[in-house]
Amino acid sequence: MSYADLASQHCIPRKGKEHALDAAQIHGLLAQLPGWTLAADGQAIVKDFKFANFHHTLGFINAVGFMANHEDHHPDVEAGYGHCQLLWSTHDVGGLSLNDFICAARVEALLAR
């Protein structure tokens, strides 16, 4: 599955362990997302984005928030002057689902505009 394929999809409710991705699936999908890494606990994907100033950081957070609300899938967000870290996981599956990678790809698409 390519980056464009991921970004064109929408999240669907994924509850239960049957929707959790295995290590091979996770690494295959991570290969499509530049700069995204697996969190140390293996339960999330994470990326830190850099911006020129806090104003641009807040604009990014607002855009991600709008997309996340539309997809009904929300990241953990940590922000400071000139940076924002996003962490995606799917609590209902106890790890990572396809929704996390869809949203990460959609974030990358936001920045490509």
Side-chain angles (χ1 to χ4, degrees):
M1 183 175 303
S2 74
Y3 159 75
D5 291 333
L6 282 170
S8 70
Q9 294 184 46
H10 293 281
C11 295
I12 60 169
R14 298 179 199 274
K15 296 178 187 259
K17 295 286 184 190
E18 67 272 12
H19 294 287
L21 300 175
D22 63 33
Q25 292 169 310
I26 291 167
H27 290 289
L29 290 166
L30 269 177
Q32 303 303 318
L33 298 169
W36 289 85
T37 60
L38 190 60
D41 65 3
Q43 301 297 301
I45 55 173
V46 63
K47 183 174 179 179
D48 195 58
F49 296 86
K50 306 292 183 199
F51 300 96
N53 54 48
F54 195 65
H55 176 76
H56 288 123
T57 303
L58 286 178
F60 173 74
I61 292 168
N62 285 331
V64 169
F66 183 84
M67 180 275 298
N69 278 332
H70 181 73
E71 295 299 322
D72 196 24
H73 193 66
H74 306 92
D76 290 341
V77 178
E78 181 181 308
Y81 187 88
H83 85 96
C84 177
Q85 184 180 78
L86 297 179
L87 185 139
W88 293 97
S89 66
T90 305
H91 304 287
D92 288 338
V93 304
L96 289 162
S97 76
L98 186 58
N99 288 350
D100 302 308
F101 293 90
I102 291 169
C103 286
R106 287 180 155 266
V107 168
E108 294 297 325
L110 285 172
L111 294 171
R113 292 180 180 181

